[in-house]
Amino acid sequence: MDIDEFVDNLKRDKARGELAPHQIILLLSLHKLYLENKSNVIETDDLMDAFNVTWKEHQNSFKTKNNNIGMPLKAFVNRGYLEIDINEEINDFRSKTELITKVIQIKINQVLLELFKDIELSNYLKMRINT
C-alpha cells in the first residue's frame, strides 16, 4: 500500500470542522522513534513523549487542543498496524495513566514498517495533517 492510499484510508473524524490530526501525529511520532531506535519495539513512555513533542511542533496547523494519544493508538491496534503487550486489560484508552501502567511495550507491524522505508515520509505526513 502506498502512503497516499494509507493516509486516505485513515479514519480521521472531523474535529471542530477540520480533519482530526491525531492519527497523522501518531504516525509521525512512530516514524521518528523508529528512525532513532532502529527498532520496531517502542516503550509506551517514549511514544507518549514523542506524540506530545510532535503535537506541540504542529499545533498551529489545526484547531483541536485535545492531544490524547489513546484513541489513535487504539485505532492502530484494531487495524493491525501496531501490537501492544499489556499486563492487564485496558478499560479506557483515553486514560494516559491506564496506558502507562498497563501497556508494557508497543510493536510496529509490517504495514507501517513498509511505509517507514520512504525517506520523505515525515515531510509528506506533515503536509497531510489537515488534508
Side-chain angles (χ1 to χ4, degrees):
M1 176 181 314
D2 75 351
I3 188 62
D4 285 318
E5 183 180 351
F6 184 87
V7 172
D8 289 343
N9 286 328
L10 292 176
K11 295 189 182 205
R12 300 176 61 205
D13 295 334
K14 292 204 173 199
R16 293 178 178 83
E18 296 182 5
L19 287 174
H22 301 76
Q23 290 186 22
I24 300 287
I25 299 293
L26 178 57
L27 261 179
L28 277 163
S29 304
L30 289 164
H31 185 242
K32 177 182 176 187
L33 290 171
Y34 176 74
L35 291 176
E36 287 175 3
N37 301 327
K38 305 292 187 233
S39 174
N40 69 328
V41 177
I42 295 173
E43 299 299 321
T44 308
D45 289 343
D46 292 341
L47 182 56
M48 288 185 155
D49 289 345
F51 186 87
N52 286 331
V53 166
T54 304
W55 185 277
K56 287 177 184 172
E57 288 172 355
H58 300 283
Q59 66 186 358
N60 293 328
S61 300
F62 44 82
K63 290 182 183 178
T64 183
K65 302 298 179 216
N66 173 13
N67 68 339
N68 195 308
I69 191 173
M71 296 316 288
L73 180 63
K74 183 177 182 180
F76 276 28
V77 170
N78 288 344
R79 294 190 92 182
Y81 304 148
L82 300 173
E83 292 176 31
I84 55 173
D85 291 331
I86 57 174
N87 58 16
E88 191 177 333
E89 184 177 342
I90 299 170
N91 298 314
D92 182 7
F93 268 83
R94 288 183 175 97
S95 168
K96 288 182 182 180
T97 303
E98 191 168 358
L99 292 176
I100 290 169
T101 59
K102 294 182 178 180
V103 176
I104 299 166
Q105 67 180 11
I106 300 161
K107 181 181 175 193
I108 302 169
N109 284 340
Q110 195 61 37
V111 173
L112 294 185
L113 292 176
E114 287 298 317
L115 292 178
F116 290 173
K117 290 180 182 179
D118 182 346
I119 59 171
E120 293 296 321
L121 181 64
S122 290
N123 291 333
Y124 175 81
L125 292 174
K126 290 172 187 175
M127 181 185 74
R128 289 293 308 264
I129 286 176
N130 286 321
T131 62

